[in-house]
Amino acid sequence: MHSPTAPDPNTYSPNRAAAKLWQSLASEFDARVAQSKIAGATVFDFGVQSRGTIRAGLLMAKACMGGLADISLVPCDSGRFAVTEGVYVQTDRPVLGCLGCQYAGWPVQADDYFAMGSGPMRLARGREAVLEEQQLSETQPDVICGLLESDKLPTASAIEVLSKECGVPTERIILGVAPSTSLAGSIQIVARSAETAMHKLHELEFPIESVFSATGFAPLPPLAKTGDVIGGIGRTNDAMLYGAEVTLWVDCEDESITSILPQIPSSASSDHGKPFREIFAAYDHDFYKVDTALFSPAVVSLHNARTGHSFSAGQVETSVLRDSFGR
């Protein structure tokens, strides 16, 4: 039985929950987020032309997960992580919140615009393998809400693409836009620690439906200078690859874990150990050329409720974090 305040899983709308979170920004004194209309869609600028803030970044990250997580800024050991704070996420709906909403699985492309798309709007589109396999969708939502990682606001043609792909009029689209060099953008990227682990497990054909709760932490890196997109990408990726620690609670056979355990953390990749800016340059700054085994947290732990056994793999790489963060 659900408590009076708990969302009903049969009627809960991640898109509506995300829209409510972002619409509250108008009354957030500390958000410093600009709102505009583009081709009828409501667009929140979290760091392209506006400054954006910590508060805005946390709200953006929570909305990106369809409201299915608690996300906060927490202190951390600077001797280990090379910074004094990090982003902590916890969710009891890791499949829907992480893979159904947060995963940046939609390359949004128009003739004059490109950005990686994430957020619950992907559930309305429903054209990704992971969504189809896990039967994750939201049919005919009254609003769609998504995030575009870009240093430019979307064009009218990009809005039309979103409208067509999701089957809603442009007036029912709410978007957040943030570059990796902004404070809010950096926060929402390093809030993806649990999602990165969940995606890696999916790639390894682990029964992800057995994961029922998750927590994750990743250090929040210093901002790259304005306009240094590659620097922003490098630092935020390093925070994940060399500093993120994720814990998953599962209900499965131990063999499902032990058979893939060494392959889960980022150390499974032969590229592991170098700052991402160097790895990225070696692959001509093309994400699709980078070894997919690299994209995972530094440390992943799994607690198996069925057997009472715990497993862990990977380690934090302080020296790489210091190199990347300039500390």
Side-chain angles (χ1 to χ4, degrees):
M1 180 179 294
H2 298 284
S3 71
T5 58
D8 183 343
N10 296 313
T11 60
Y12 184 78
S13 167
N15 275 289
R16 195 179 304 121
K20 185 176 180 180
L21 282 167
W22 282 358
Q23 287 169 335
S24 71
L25 287 169
S27 60
E28 288 281 348
F29 175 75
D30 289 331
R32 294 201 288 277
V33 171
Q35 179 180 341
S36 63
K37 290 284 187 178
I38 300 176
T42 300
V43 178
F44 289 99
D45 176 2
F46 285 88
V48 177
Q49 297 171 358
S50 64
R51 171 63 66 184
T53 59
I54 293 170
R55 175 65 175 160
L58 294 173
L59 276 174
M60 175 168 57
K62 186 171 183 177
C64 193
M65 295 189 71
L68 294 166
D70 291 323
I71 301 173
S72 56
L73 199 66
V74 297
C76 64
D77 178 2
S78 60
R80 188 174 185 220
F81 296 101
V83 289
T84 57
E85 56 278 314
V87 177
Y88 180 76
V89 56
Q90 60 187 78
T91 178
D92 292 312
R93 294 280 180 177
V95 176
L96 179 57
C98 294
L99 297 182
C101 298
Q102 193 182 27
Y103 174 55
W106 182 2
V108 177
Q109 187 158 8
D111 290 340
D112 57 357
Y113 190 78
F114 176 83
M116 290 307 298
S118 58
M121 69 178 180
R122 295 172 45 246
L123 293 168
R125 179 174 179 256
R127 299 181 187 175
E128 298 171 36
V130 66
L131 301 179
E132 294 171 353
E133 291 169 13
Q134 296 298 312
Q135 299 182 321
L136 300 172
S137 65
E138 187 175 353
T139 57
Q140 298 182 324
D142 52 17
V143 64
I144 66 163
C145 191
L147 173 66
L148 301 176
E149 186 178 330
S150 175
D151 60 355
K152 297 180 177 63
L153 296 179
T155 60
S157 58
I159 299 296
E160 290 296 336
V161 168
L162 294 172
S163 173
K164 181 178 179 181
E165 293 277 327
C166 294
V168 300
T170 60
E171 292 77 13
R172 286 162 51 190
I173 297 174
I174 300 176
L175 297 172
V177 188
S180 60
T181 53
S182 68
L183 179 55
S186 292
I187 288 172
Q188 72 85 16
I189 292 173
V190 298
R192 295 171 180 266
S193 51
E195 175 262 299
T196 307
M198 290 291 292
H199 184 254
K200 184 65 166 292
L201 289 178
H202 175 258
E203 292 291 306
L204 294 171
E205 300 183 356
F206 178 84
I208 57 172
E209 65 278 1
S210 71
V211 185
F212 59 88
S213 289
T215 63
F217 164 85
L220 179 62
L223 296 179
K225 66 180 180 180
T226 302
D228 183 7
V229 176
I230 300 301
I233 290 172
R235 287 183 171 182
T236 51
N237 271 276
D238 288 333
M240 195 71 62
L241 305 177
Y242 303 112
E245 299 180 301
V246 172
T247 300
L248 307 174
W249 283 261
V250 304
D251 184 351
C252 63
E253 298 296 331
D254 281 346
E255 170 62 22
S256 297
I257 301 171
T258 56
S259 63
I260 63 167
L261 185 62
Q263 302 173 62
I264 303 175
S266 58
S267 54
S269 171
S270 58
D271 286 327
H272 180 268
K274 295 177 287 187
F276 189 75
R277 64 175 183 270
E278 297 179 14
I279 298 171
F280 202 31
Y283 289 107
D284 303 316
H285 298 121
D286 185 342
F287 269 109
Y288 296 101
K289 293 181 180 179
V290 180
D291 180 13
T292 56
L294 181 67
F295 296 111
S296 195
V299 180
V300 179
S301 300
L302 298 97
H303 300 318
N304 194 350
R306 184 175 301 183
T307 66
H309 296 153
S310 295
F311 307 86
S312 185
Q315 65 180 20
V316 170
E317 300 289 350
T318 303
S319 61
V320 183
L321 293 175
R322 289 189 176 280
D323 184 358
S324 176
F325 299 169
R327 296 297 179 91

